[in-house]
Amino acid sequence: MSHIRMYKAIALIVSSLLAGCTFLTGSMDITATNDRIMVEMDHATGTARQCFQLNSDQDIRISFIDLSGNTKIQLIDPEENVIYEGNETAIHDFTCQSTTTGEYELIVEAGGTNGTILLIFP
């Protein structure tokens, strides 16, 4: 087998193994407590997920502090419905309400993002 074919075969195997993996560069630190989640990003690129528990009809305040870069967030309820979604052009401070008691998920997709996302559950 020629060296070029061998390198192509190795590249194909590695790309197959890595399919579906999310790489994170820069830094994205998530701090979660009973009443808040704070996502701090410094040139972050990649996807992070954080699960948390809420009661039915609980307020969720979402704030964006000095956010720059390509950013998309989603807030998913226990029945896998998107209850909030924003991107770099549509993100703004927002309050929504939990739909049911259970486990929710925050998904942050960052592309060279700086700044902080704060979720508060009063």
Side-chain angles (χ1 to χ4, degrees):
M1 179 184 288
S2 74
H3 289 288
I4 293 174
R5 285 187 184 163
M6 184 174 69
Y7 290 130
K8 284 183 179 180
I10 291 171
L12 180 61
I13 292 168
V14 170
S15 65
S16 296
L17 291 173
L18 297 177
C21 293
T22 300
F23 293 99
L24 184 63
T25 60
S27 69
M28 187 182 305
D29 297 317
I30 300 176
T31 305
T33 64
N34 288 340
D35 66 345
R36 69 183 58 218
I37 295 173
M38 184 166 50
V39 182
E40 297 176 288
M41 295 169 281
D42 183 14
H43 302 290
T45 298
T47 302
R49 298 170 180 268
Q50 178 69 42
C51 293
F52 55 98
Q53 295 288 323
L54 290 178
N55 294 318
S56 181
D57 301 321
Q58 190 170 351
D59 284 342
I60 306 164
R61 286 190 228 147
I62 305 168
S63 296
F64 305 94
I65 305 161
D66 298 328
L67 201 62
S68 65
N70 297 322
T71 309
K72 178 181 176 185
I73 75 162
Q74 287 185 318
L75 190 56
I76 313 292
D77 74 8
E79 295 166 357
E80 298 187 14
N81 298 308
V82 176
I83 62 170
Y84 178 83
E85 184 170 29
N87 60 36
E88 65 271 9
T89 58
I91 285 180
H92 57 279
D93 291 359
F94 189 80
T95 298
C96 58
Q97 202 168 53
S98 60
T99 54
T100 186
T101 298
E103 185 174 88
Y104 287 73
E105 183 176 29
L106 170 66
I107 303 170
V108 179
E109 296 177 19
T113 303
N114 292 305
T116 302
I117 300 171
L118 182 63
L119 276 69
I120 299 175
F121 324 114

